[in-house]
C-alpha cells in the first residue's frame, strides 16, 4: 500500500490535497463512456479494478480499523474522501454497496473474532457481497421469510428463494436470513448466516430492470450446506442482528451520491449557459431547478448529521436515517423527471451497465424509482417517522 496519502492524515487540508492529486492520476477520463458500452463481465472487471486502485492507497475502507484491512481514519477523513470522489467524478463503487455498508456494520457488532478476521480483510481487498433478505412474499414484512435452514451436525442445510438481491450475480458472499424455527413468533425463529456464493446449490438468475441494467437477481437455494462457523450470533437471534444491518443501509454512500448530485446540478447549469439552452428562458423550469438545488443543500446537511450520529454510535432511536431515505430518494425522482424534460431527446439513451449515468437523464429517471423501494419502502419510512419521530398512534 502506498503511504503517500496516509502519510498526510495529521493535516486535513494536506490529506484533501493528497486525495485530490491521487484521483487526478487514477480516474480514467472516459470511464463513463467505457462503462456505458460495457457488457456485464466488463462492468464487473471495471468495478473490481477500481476498488483495487482504491485499496492500493487505503481509500477503499479508510475508516475501518487497521487490523481488519482499513486505514483507521476518522469520520472527517471519510467525508473528505467522499467529497473528493464526487468532485473528481470518480467511478462510484456501487457493486460494493453491501460490502462497504451492511457487512462491516453487521460483523463489527455481531461477528465472532474469527469471522471478523476471516471476512473483513477480504472486503477491504475487494470481495463482493450481496444481501439475501427479501423473498417473493417477504419484503416490507421481512419477518415472514420462509427460506428454511435445518441443522445437520456441524452444518445447516438451506432451501428456499431470495429475490431483488443487488449485485448477487457478481457476489462472492451473501449475508443471508433464514428460518430455523417455525413454532415461535415469526421474529424469534430467524437465523443469520454468511453464505459462500460458490457453494453447491446456489443459483443466481438476473432480473433486468426498466433501465436495462440487471443490477439485481433471484437466488435459488437447493440443499446448500452452510457450516456452523458461518452463523452470525446465536441460532434464532437473526432478527436482532438484521436490525443492525438494516440501519446501516444509508451512510457514506448516500452522502457521496448527494455530493455527486451537487456537481451534476452545477454541470447542467454551466452547459445550459454555454449553449444558451432553451429551458433557461422558461421561468417555470428555472424555478423547479432552483427549488431542487435548494432542497439538495438541506439533504446534504441532514446526511452529515446522519454520519455524525453513526460515528457517535448513538444508541438512541433516531429517525434521521428514515428522513434521509425519504427525502433523498423522492428528490432524486423529481430531479430525474426535470432532467429528462430539460435534456429532451439527447437523454433518451439506454445502456446495459451504466450504473451511475447521471449524464443520461432517462436512465437516471428510470433508475430513481428503485430507490424509493429499496432498503425499506418510503411508505415504511413514513410509518417510522410518524410512530418513532412524532409519536403518532399506529
Ligand atoms: C433497487 C432495489 C434493490 C434492492 N436490493 C435488495 C437487496 O440487495 N437485498 C434484498 O434482500 N432486497 C433488496 N431489495 C428489495 C427491497 O428490500 C423490497 O423490495 C422492499 O423491502 C419492499 O418489499 P416488496 O417489494 O416485497 O413490496 P411489499 O412489501 O409487498 O410492498 C408493496 C407495497 O405495499 C406497501 N406497504 C407494505 N407494507 C406496508 C405498511 N406496513 N404500511 C404502509 N405501506 C405498506 C409498500 O410501501 C409498497 O408500496 C431491493 C429493491 C430494489 C427496488
Amino acid at each position: 500500500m502506498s503511504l503517500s496519502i496516509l502519510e498526510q492524515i495529521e493535516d486535513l487540508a494536506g490529506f484533501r490535497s493528497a486525495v485530490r492529486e491521487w484521483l487526478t492520476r487514477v480516474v480514467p477520463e472516459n470511464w463513463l463512456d467505457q462503462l456505458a458500452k460495457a457488457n456485464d463481465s466488463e462492468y464487473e472487471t471495471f468495478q473490481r479494478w477500481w476498488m483495487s486502485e482504491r485499496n492500493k492507497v487505503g481509500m477503499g475502507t479508510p475508516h475501518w480499523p487497521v487490523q481488519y484491512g482499513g486505514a483507521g481514519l476518522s469520520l472527517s477523513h471519510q467525508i473528505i474522501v467522499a467529497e473528493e470522489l464526487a468532485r473528481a467524478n470518480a467511478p462510484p463503487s456501487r457493486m460494493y454497496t453491501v460490502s462497504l455498508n451492511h457487512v462491516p456494520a453487521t460483523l463489527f457488532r455481531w461477528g465472532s473474532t474469527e469471522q471478523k478476521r476471516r471476512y473483513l480483510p477480504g472486503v477491504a481487498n475487494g470481495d463482493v457481497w450481496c444481501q439475501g433478505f427479501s423473498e417473493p412474499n417477504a419484503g416490507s414484512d421481512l419477518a415472514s421469510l420462509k427460506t428454511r435452514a435445518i441443522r445437520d451436525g456441524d452444518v445447516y442445510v438451506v432451501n428456499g428463494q431470495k429475490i431483488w438481491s443487488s449485485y448477487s450475480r457478481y457476489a462472492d458472499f451473501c449475508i443471508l436470513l433464514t428460518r430455523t424455527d417455525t413454532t415461535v413468533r415469526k421474529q424469534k425463529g430467524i437465523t443469520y448466516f454468511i453464505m459462500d456464493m460458490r457453494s453447491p446449490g446456489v443459483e443466481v438468475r438476473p432480473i433486468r430492470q426498466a433501465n436495462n441494467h440487471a443490477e439485481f437477481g433471484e437466488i435459488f437455494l437447493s440443499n446448500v450446506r452452510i457450516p456452523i462457523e458461518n452463523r452470525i450470533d446465536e441460532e434464532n437471534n437473526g432478527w436482532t442482528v438484521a436490525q443492525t444491518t438494516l440501519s446501516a443501509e444509508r451512510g457514506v454512500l448516500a452522502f457521496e451520491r448527494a455530493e455527486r448530485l451537487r456537481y451534476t446540478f452545477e454541470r447542467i447549469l454551466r452547459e445550459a449557459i454555454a449553449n444558451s439552452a432553451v429551458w433557461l428562458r422558461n421561468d417555470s423550469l428555472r424555478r423547479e431547478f432552483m427549488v431542487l438545488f435548494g432542497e439538495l443543500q438541506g439533504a446534504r446537511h441532514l446526511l452529515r448529521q446522519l454520519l455524525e450520529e453513526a460515528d457517535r454510535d448513538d444508541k438512541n432511536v433516531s429517525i434521521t436515517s428514515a428522513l434521509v431515505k425519504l427525502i433523498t430518494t423522492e428528490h432524486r425522482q423529481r430531479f430525474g423527471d426535470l432532467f429528462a424534460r430539460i435534456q429532451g431527446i439527447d437523454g433518451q439513451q439506454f445502456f446495459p451497465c451504466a450504473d451511475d449515468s447521471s449524464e443520461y437523464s432517462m436512465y437516471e429517471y428510470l433508475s430513481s424509482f428503485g430507490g424509493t423501494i429499496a432498503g425499506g419502502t418510503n411508505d415504511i419510512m413514513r410509518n417510522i417517522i410518524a410512530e418513532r419521530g412524532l409519536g403518532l398512534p399506529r
Side-chain angles (χ1 to χ4, degrees):
M1 182 186 289
S2 154
L3 288 181
S4 54
I5 296 179
L6 298 181
E7 273 165 357
Q8 323 233 16
I9 57 176
E10 298 306 327
D11 160 33
L12 286 182
F15 176 75
R16 186 186 289 281
S17 306
V19 175
R20 193 171 290 183
E21 188 276 324
W22 164 69
L23 285 166
T24 316
R25 271 188 294 111
V26 291
V27 173
E29 228 174 84
N30 58 348
W31 70 266
L32 200 55
D33 289 335
Q34 263 182 40
L35 212 57
K37 293 178 196 123
N39 60 31
D40 290 321
S41 113
E42 289 163 342
Y43 168 79
E44 178 181 0
T45 306
F46 182 87
Q47 281 277 320
R48 287 190 191 270
W49 165 79
W50 175 234
M51 185 48 79
S52 80
E53 285 300 309
R54 291 179 63 169
N55 282 327
K56 274 184 204 162
V57 293
M59 293 298 106
T61 53
H63 56 301
W64 289 18
V66 175
Q67 74 262 39
Y68 297 125
L73 303 186
S74 71
L75 177 66
S76 305
H77 293 94
Q78 208 185 341
I79 287 177
I80 289 174
V81 174
E83 284 173 346
E84 291 302 319
L85 285 167
R87 183 179 182 278
N89 194 19
S93 295
R94 294 253 184 280
M95 197 170 89
Y96 289 91
T97 302
V98 176
S99 309
L100 296 178
N101 291 277
H102 308 60
V103 173
T106 311
L107 288 186
F108 281 133
R109 169 82 178 81
W110 297 98
S112 65
T113 307
E114 194 38 48
Q115 286 168 344
K116 284 188 248 194
R117 281 208 196 111
R118 160 85 179 78
Y119 293 103
L120 289 172
V123 169
N125 282 322
D127 283 348
V128 177
W129 287 64
C130 66
Q131 180 192 21
F133 280 23
S134 304
E135 296 183 2
N137 291 310
S140 302
D141 184 14
L142 184 59
S144 294
L145 62 91
K146 291 202 163 48
T147 292
R148 194 81 165 95
I150 297 176
R151 177 105 180 242
D152 177 17
D154 284 345
V155 298
Y156 285 83
V157 181
V158 182
N159 283 284
Q161 183 194 348
K162 297 290 171 179
I163 195 165
W164 317 126
S165 181
S166 297
Y167 303 104
S168 46
R169 64 196 310 197
Y170 312 111
D172 303 296
F173 298 99
C174 174
I175 40 175
L176 182 75
L177 286 186
T178 64
R179 178 145 316 276
T180 32
D181 191 341
T182 54
T183 62
V184 290
R185 194 161 67 86
K186 58 187 179 181
Q187 286 84 356
K188 293 282 176 201
I190 291 172
T191 301
Y192 202 127
F193 290 102
I194 295 167
M195 178 173 75
D196 187 332
M197 290 294 281
R198 291 180 187 86
S199 311
V202 177
E203 188 197 342
V204 177
R205 295 185 201 158
I207 304 172
R208 205 158 280 282
Q209 296 153 247
N211 64 10
N212 204 22
H213 188 196
E215 177 210 292
F216 45 36
E218 293 174 284
I219 309 177
F220 293 87
L221 305 166
S222 315
N223 293 319
V224 180
R225 296 174 77 79
I226 302 184
I228 191 167
E229 60 265 24
N230 283 22
R231 191 185 71 206
I232 301 182
D233 204 56
E234 297 301 314
E235 185 170 299
N236 294 329
N237 199 35
W239 186 248
T240 310
V241 180
Q243 299 317 302
T244 305
T245 314
L246 293 171
S247 66
E249 299 227 23
R250 291 162 284 281
V252 171
L253 286 189
F255 175 78
E256 192 187 306
R257 189 186 273 262
E259 292 302 299
R260 285 173 185 277
L261 196 50
R262 164 196 160 189
Y263 289 108
T264 304
F265 268 94
E266 289 175 10
R267 181 178 49 73
I268 293 172
L269 199 54
R270 219 175 26 246
E271 287 174 6
I273 292 168
N275 301 327
S276 305
V278 177
W279 72 267
L280 277 182
R281 295 195 291 278
N282 180 320
D283 285 348
S284 153
L285 290 177
R286 276 161 51 148
R287 195 172 307 116
E288 227 180 299
F289 187 89
M290 290 321 295
V291 166
L292 284 168
F293 184 68
E295 288 176 13
L296 178 66
Q297 310 314 317
R300 288 173 63 213
H301 283 289
L302 200 59
L303 273 155
R304 247 165 232 269
Q305 184 184 321
L306 180 68
L307 293 183
E308 281 161 15
E309 282 176 14
D311 197 44
R312 282 199 304 272
D313 199 15
D314 201 338
K315 293 279 183 295
N316 292 325
V317 178
S318 158
I319 55 161
T320 314
S321 140
L323 280 170
V324 160
K325 163 83 206 300
L326 190 64
I327 290 168
T328 55
T329 55
E330 294 188 1
H331 179 275
R332 189 181 173 208
Q333 234 172 58
R334 286 163 48 226
F335 165 72
D337 178 7
L338 173 67
F339 191 19
R341 279 180 283 135
I342 284 177
Q343 210 179 28
I345 200 76
D346 291 343
Q348 315 289 306
Q349 302 181 57
F350 285 90
F351 300 99
C353 278
D355 75 335
D356 193 30
S357 240
S358 39
E359 305 270 327
Y360 307 110
S361 56
M362 188 48 75
Y363 183 93
E364 176 65 19
Y365 179 55
L366 292 174
S367 306
S368 69
F369 287 88
T372 60
I373 302 167
T377 70
N378 282 12
D379 297 323
I380 298 298
M381 295 304 123
R382 287 191 177 85
N383 287 349
I384 292 173
I385 293 162
E387 288 165 21
R388 294 189 204 158
L390 303 174
L392 294 174
R394 263 171 176 267

